[in-house]
């Protein structure tokens, strides 16, 4: 089983839609979790850290389910500018580098 | 200021050339990373420096040689590269290994 798994998509959604991505991780000792966004031919940018209690930033909500070892990202009221690849990123255990999922492509269509 | 600066932004080099990629951060981060990214793939870890010491080398060929002159700078020296080494090379930094990482804009490298 890969360390971090994501559905590659693409997810094609109309403007204004709500879309959710899930990501599973294999190491139950994983300590911290992040969502990054990467636009075409640009660098990954930190979108949100994911906390045990869940967190929300505007239209974006991230949740962690430790029991089932998955994290999720919910985007409400999708905008054209949300079109990007969303990378699920996990710190497997303390002093180790972050592990990246393969990314989920989102296209928001007018 | 969450900025990591990489130069150059684009580089075309021949297979016999020697070139260097540069990365700088002034956030006081003690971990710095080099990643390689091919189209439609996630970033692939190459090297990790922690407190200016090489901590991880992910079995990268010796034609890639990292250097950390001080806590703010990270270089990647390139020599005798192959066309398949063409990719986006990303530098990143974080407070310590494993915390959220901030990426530079990358160097788009083409080997001809």
């Amino acid at each position: 089983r890969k360390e971090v798994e994501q559905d590659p998509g693409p997810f094609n959604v109309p403007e204004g839609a709500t879309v959710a991505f899930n990501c599973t991780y294999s190491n139950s000792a994983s300590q911290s979790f992040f969502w990054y966004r990467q636009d075409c031919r640009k660098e990954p940018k930190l979108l949100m850290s994911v906390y045990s209690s869940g967190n929300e930033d505007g239209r974006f909500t991230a949740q962690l389910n430790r029991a089932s070892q998955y994290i999720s990202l919910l985007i409400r009221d999708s905008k054209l500018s949300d079109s990007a690849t969303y990378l699920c990123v996990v710190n497997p255990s303390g002093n180790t580098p972050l592990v990246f999922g393969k990314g989920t492509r989102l296209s928001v269509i007018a | 200021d969450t900025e990591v600066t990489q130069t150059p932004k684009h580089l075309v080099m021949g297979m016999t050339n020697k070139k260097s990629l540069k990365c700088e951060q002034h956030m006081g981060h003690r971990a710095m990373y080099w990643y390689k990214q091919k189209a439609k793939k996630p970033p692939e870890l190459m090297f990790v420096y922690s407190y200016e010491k090489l901590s991880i080398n992910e079995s990268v060929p010796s034609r890639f040689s990292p250097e950390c002159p001080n806590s703010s700078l990270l270089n990647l020296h390139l020599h005798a590269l192959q066309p398949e080494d063409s990719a986006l090379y990303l530098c990143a930094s974080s407070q310590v290994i494993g915390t959220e990482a901030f990426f530079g804009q990358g160097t788009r490298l083409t080997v001809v």
Side-chain angles (χ1 to χ4, degrees):
Chain A
R1 182 180 172 188
K2 293 194 174 69
E3 283 196 82
V4 179
E5 291 203 68
Q6 296 181 249
D7 180 345
F11 285 62
N12 299 314
V13 303
E15 269 188 294
T18 295
V19 61
F21 311 133
N22 282 340
C23 162
T24 58
Y25 59 95
S26 59
N27 185 344
S28 59
S30 295
Q31 299 196 354
S32 47
F33 311 87
F34 310 94
W35 284 102
Y36 279 73
R37 170 199 169 124
Q38 187 169 25
D39 293 288
C40 189
R41 299 179 71 82
K42 300 279 191 179
E43 76 277 20
K45 291 187 178 175
L46 179 66
L47 179 65
M48 304 177 78
S49 301
V50 188
Y51 305 119
S52 296
S53 55
N55 49 311
E56 186 174 314
D57 183 3
R59 298 182 293 109
F60 298 83
T61 300
Q63 294 200 309
L64 167 65
N65 184 318
R66 282 195 184 273
S68 301
Q69 293 180 213
Y70 78 82
I71 68 174
S72 63
L73 178 67
L74 181 79
I75 306 175
R76 287 180 297 278
D77 188 23
S78 300
K79 311 288 184 197
L80 295 174
S81 56
D82 294 333
S83 298
T85 296
Y86 290 84
L87 295 158
C88 174
V89 182
V90 175
N91 175 2
S93 58
N95 196 28
T96 55
L98 301 179
V99 176
F100 284 75
K102 292 191 173 181
T104 298
R105 280 188 55 210
L106 171 66
S107 289
V108 180
I109 304 158
Chain B
D1 180 12
T2 54
E3 191 171 285
V4 178
T5 304
Q6 286 187 246
T7 55
K9 289 194 169 30
H10 301 274
L11 178 63
V12 179
M13 62 185 289
M15 288 189 281
T16 58
N17 290 161
K18 282 185 183 181
K19 295 286 184 184
S20 296
L21 310 184
K22 296 186 182 301
C23 175
E24 188 168 7
Q25 58 90 10
H26 292 290
M27 295 179 276
H29 289 174
R30 303 318 299 267
M32 295 187 77
Y33 313 81
W34 282 114
Y35 289 85
K36 172 182 176 179
Q37 188 174 27
K38 293 278 213 178
K40 300 191 179 181
K41 299 282 187 185
E44 180 186 332
L45 185 66
M46 300 175 73
F47 301 104
V48 182
Y49 273 82
S50 179
Y51 292 87
E52 300 162 52
K53 288 189 168 45
L54 183 63
S55 176
I56 295 174
N57 175 344
E58 291 284 1
S59 303
V60 179
S62 59
R63 57 186 184 268
F64 295 92
S65 173
E67 178 198 16
C68 188
N70 61 52
S71 60
S72 300
L73 293 174
L74 188 66
N75 299 324
L76 186 63
H77 303 299
L78 314 172
H79 173 54
L81 294 194
Q82 304 296 310
E84 59 265 28
D85 296 321
S86 299
L88 179 67
Y89 287 84
L90 292 160
C91 173
S93 71
S94 63
Q95 281 192 331
V96 292
I97 294 178
T99 55
E100 57 262 41
F102 297 90
F103 286 83
Q105 291 183 320
T107 295
R108 191 158 297 280
L109 174 68
T110 304
V111 181
V112 297

